[in-house]
């Protein structure tokens, strides 16, 4: 069968789905490309939703992956505001939209992303309880932060992860009072461990954020539909006018599961299980982005990576694999964050328990340094904070899998490029 007779369907119009469509055309695929997404907006990037867009510094237009006209120009059949509710793998069809339209596929890509976890506590349905995943959520939150800043209002954030902290920074810039409730002893504990989590706690305290560590929200107290306070399991009550639930995201696997595709173990983050070419347990179905769990050779484990770069690169990698090209997706995981005047990039993977030492190169007190998470001399991860253009040598160190001299690693006068080879 030639390309022109083939139909490739992409479910999910986030960054992974949009970049996969772009790659199919860039690689010369001449068949039909159908991109179906349940959101009404054209595919957009989410990082600005908790940073520049939330702060009113980035325009709405700037968040879109492509201009709206790009889809027609590239002959991408875009179905927005339509949910795919079933995959028939025997008939090779997906069903979508209110009228149950069937679309045949030769190859299918699942790029369904993730959705925010909900707080399972009394009061979670009050109007002042928010989540942040979609453009509409960010628009609403922008209005909320503006009002809180104007009225000296209180925002309680459940969860001291990346989104919780970025919104805390934005809320402080608006002038709102902010309390972050986090069960772990530091923010970002599961990613950075306590050593660097403390640095982020200090950064936020310096900007007036209050933390309540070692506690969980147990109730959001309301009156006449309005939020009044947030209670924690240690009996404390924090004044609140609004609450943001930033307690993580769950991969959107329902469609894959109902279709009988293999899922990854929850202990490995769950998600749709794919091989190194991003192919699922069905050879004609692929998955990429937040929803995919792939085996990572560098860390000898399955990873499900909920970050921008993984959608940016994973969508195209899956598209090439769908075209029959040899693909081994082994990128070093990478993400970035901006909070106040701190910008950082993190490469690698080193959750607590996986490393035996954190090596600091530079001045942590001035928040200008690189941190390395090291196990038996081998660099597992590196985070540059307000230090730039070092991602490549950091990623090379991680990929080299060789032990380095940790004294030299800590010494800013020793070029990173000279280590690990
Ligand atoms: C507020 C916020 C800030 C972030 N900031 C950063 C950051 O600073 N740095 C970083 O590295 N990462 C960041 N991320 C993470 C990054 O945005 C995600 O990793 C990325 O969006 C994943 O892209 P994706 O295409 O896999 O999934 P998504 O962006 O979730 O897109 C999936 C799309 O599929 C749709 N969909 C799902 N199921 C169906 C269905 N059955 N039928 C039709 N459509 C469906 C969804 O509605 C969604 O539109 C941030 C995320 C958020 C929410």
């Amino acid at each position: 069968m030639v390309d022109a007779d083939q139909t490739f369907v992409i479910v999910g119009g986030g960054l992974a789905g949009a970049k996969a469509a772009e790659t199919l055309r860039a690689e010369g695929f001449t068949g039909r490309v159908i991109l179906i997404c349940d959101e009404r907006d054209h595919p957009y990037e989410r990082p600005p939703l908790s940073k520049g867009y939330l702060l009113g510094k980035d325009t709405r237009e700037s968040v879109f992956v492509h201009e709206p006209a790009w889809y027609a120009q590239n002959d991408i059949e875009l179905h927005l505001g339509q949910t795919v509710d079933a995959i028939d793998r025997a008939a090779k069809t997906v069903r979508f939209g209110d009228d149950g339209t069937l679309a045949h596929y030769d190859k299918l890509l699942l790029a369904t992303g993730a959705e925010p976890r909900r707080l399972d506590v009394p009061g979670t349905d009050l109007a002042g309880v928010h989540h942040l995943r979609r453009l509409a959520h960010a628009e609403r939150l922008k209005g909320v932060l503006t009002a809180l800043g104007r009225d000296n209002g209180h925002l309680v954030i459940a969860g001291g992860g990346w989104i919780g902290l970025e919104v805390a920074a934005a809320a402080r810039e608006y002038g709102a009072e902010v309390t972050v409730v986090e069960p772990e002893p530091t923010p970002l504990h599961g990613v950075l461990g306590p050593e660097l989590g403390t640095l982020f706690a200090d950064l936020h305290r310096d900007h007036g954020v209050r933390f309540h560590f070692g506690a969980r929200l147990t109730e959001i107290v309301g009156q006449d539909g309005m939020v009044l306070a947030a209670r924690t399991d240690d009996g404390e009550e924090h004044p609140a006018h609004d609450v943001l639930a930033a307690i993580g995201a769950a991969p959107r696997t329902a469609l894959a599961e109902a279709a009988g595709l293999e899922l990854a173990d929850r202990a490995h983050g769950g998600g749709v299980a794919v091989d190194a070419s991003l192919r699922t347990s069905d050879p004609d179905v692929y998955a990429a982005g937040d929803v995919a769990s792939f085996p990572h050779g560098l860390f000898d484990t399955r990873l499900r990576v909920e970050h921008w770069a993984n959608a940016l690169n994973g969508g195209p990698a899956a598209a090439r694999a769908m075209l029959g090209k040899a693909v081994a997706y082994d990128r070093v995981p990478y993400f970035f964050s901006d909070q106040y005047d701190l910008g950082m990039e993190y490469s690698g993977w080193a959750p607590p328990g996986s490393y035996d030492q954190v090596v600091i190169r530079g001045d942590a007190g001035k928040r200008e340094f690189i941190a390395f998470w090291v196990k038996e001399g081998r660099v597992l991860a590196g985070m540059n904070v307000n230090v730039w253009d070092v991602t490549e040598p950091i990623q090379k160190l991680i990929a080299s899998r060789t032990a380095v001299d940790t004294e030299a690693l800590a010494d800013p006068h020793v070029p990173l490029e000279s280590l690990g080879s």
Side-chain angles (χ1 to χ4, degrees):
M1 197 191 289
V2 289
D3 259 16
D5 301 323
Q6 297 221 353
T7 300
F8 286 8
V9 172
I10 301 170
V11 184
L15 185 59
K19 282 287 168 186
E22 180 186 314
T23 303
L24 289 174
R25 289 299 182 226
E27 293 281 348
F29 179 67
T30 56
R32 289 178 73 189
V33 177
I34 303 176
L35 176 54
I36 309 165
C37 189
D38 58 8
E39 294 195 64
R40 291 191 184 282
D41 290 300
H42 283 79
Y44 58 89
E45 306 207 17
R46 298 182 199 274
L49 305 190
S50 51
K51 309 178 190 61
Y53 185 69
L54 187 60
L55 284 164
K57 293 175 183 166
D58 295 345
T59 62
R60 197 172 195 281
E61 293 68 44
S62 69
V63 306
F64 294 101
V65 183
H66 302 103
E67 286 187 4
W70 179 89
Y71 296 90
Q73 283 159 4
N74 287 275
D75 204 10
I76 310 290
E77 298 171 41
L78 190 58
H79 298 271
L80 295 175
Q82 314 233 10
T83 303
V84 173
D85 63 11
I87 302 168
D88 183 335
R89 294 199 289 126
K92 295 182 85 169
T93 57
V94 298
R95 189 178 68 198
F96 68 99
D98 293 339
D99 56 357
T101 302
L102 293 180
H104 166 78
Y105 66 82
D106 292 291
K107 302 277 180 204
L108 174 66
L109 174 62
L110 298 176
T112 49
E115 62 194 338
R117 291 186 198 280
R118 309 258 149 192
L119 281 168
D120 186 15
V121 300
T124 196
D125 295 330
L126 290 166
V129 179
H130 312 278
H131 297 88
L132 181 55
R133 182 82 195 175
R134 297 186 164 197
L135 205 39
H137 296 153
E139 271 156 21
R140 184 168 167 217
L141 196 55
K142 212 193 289 192
V144 166
L145 298 186
T146 305
L148 289 175
R150 186 191 56 220
D151 305 336
N152 260 334
H154 288 254
L155 175 70
V156 169
I157 300 177
W162 295 110
I163 291 180
L165 292 193
E166 289 178 0
V167 173
R172 289 301 298 145
E173 289 197 33
Y174 276 97
E177 297 294 327
V178 179
T179 302
V180 176
V181 176
E182 163 60 52
E184 298 288 353
T186 58
L188 303 166
H189 197 270
V191 195
L192 303 183
E195 302 86 351
L196 272 297
T198 303
L199 179 126
F200 278 89
D202 291 344
L203 168 75
H204 282 269
R205 283 196 187 105
D206 288 352
H207 287 84
V209 172
R210 281 181 287 269
F211 284 101
H212 187 162
F213 291 121
R216 286 173 194 279
L217 272 197
T218 47
E219 185 180 354
I220 302 164
V221 185
Q223 195 177 31
D224 303 330
M226 312 276 282
V227 171
L228 287 183
R231 282 197 187 126
T232 48
D233 54 1
D234 52 2
E236 283 210 31
E237 190 168 291
H238 299 278
H241 298 99
D242 289 274
V243 172
L244 175 75
I247 55 171
R252 292 184 68 174
T253 52
L255 200 54
E257 190 173 4
L261 294 168
E262 195 183 310
L263 299 186
D265 191 340
R266 275 176 184 241
H268 289 114
V272 178
V274 292
D275 65 15
S277 71
L278 303 182
R279 194 157 67 166
T280 67
S281 51
D282 179 327
D284 294 319
V285 184
Y286 293 73
D290 279 11
V291 78
S293 166
F294 56 97
H296 206 300
L298 273 182
F299 306 101
D300 302 320
T301 185
R302 267 189 179 281
L303 290 183
R304 191 176 64 76
V305 179
E306 281 180 10
H307 293 302
W308 172 87
N310 179 53
L312 184 78
N313 299 310
R320 282 190 282 274
M322 290 161 83
L323 291 169
K325 297 185 188 295
V327 167
Y329 188 67
D330 58 0
R331 292 236 170 202
V332 175
Y334 164 93
F335 65 87
F336 59 90
S337 180
D338 298 312
Q339 297 164 35
Y340 313 104
D341 54 359
L342 182 149
M344 59 71 69
E345 297 171 288
Y346 177 103
S347 296
W349 184 74
S354 68
Y355 59 91
D356 53 33
Q357 192 183 357
V358 179
V359 175
I360 302 288
R361 178 189 182 94
D363 191 336
K366 274 196 188 158
R367 297 183 186 130
E368 264 180 42
F369 65 98
I370 309 175
F372 295 97
W373 286 260
V374 176
K375 167 120 184 174
E376 290 160 8
R378 189 185 140 197
V379 177
L380 301 178
M383 175 174 75
N384 47 303
V385 173
N386 289 342
V387 172
W388 303 109
D389 301 323
V390 288
T391 301
E392 202 180 317
I394 291 174
Q395 294 200 350
K396 274 195 181 147
L397 271 179
I398 296 166
S400 77
R401 300 184 65 151
T402 50
V404 297
D405 174 351
T406 49
E407 270 181 35
L409 189 64
D411 183 350
H413 299 105
V414 179
L416 284 179
E417 291 78 358
S418 69
L419 300 164
S421 43

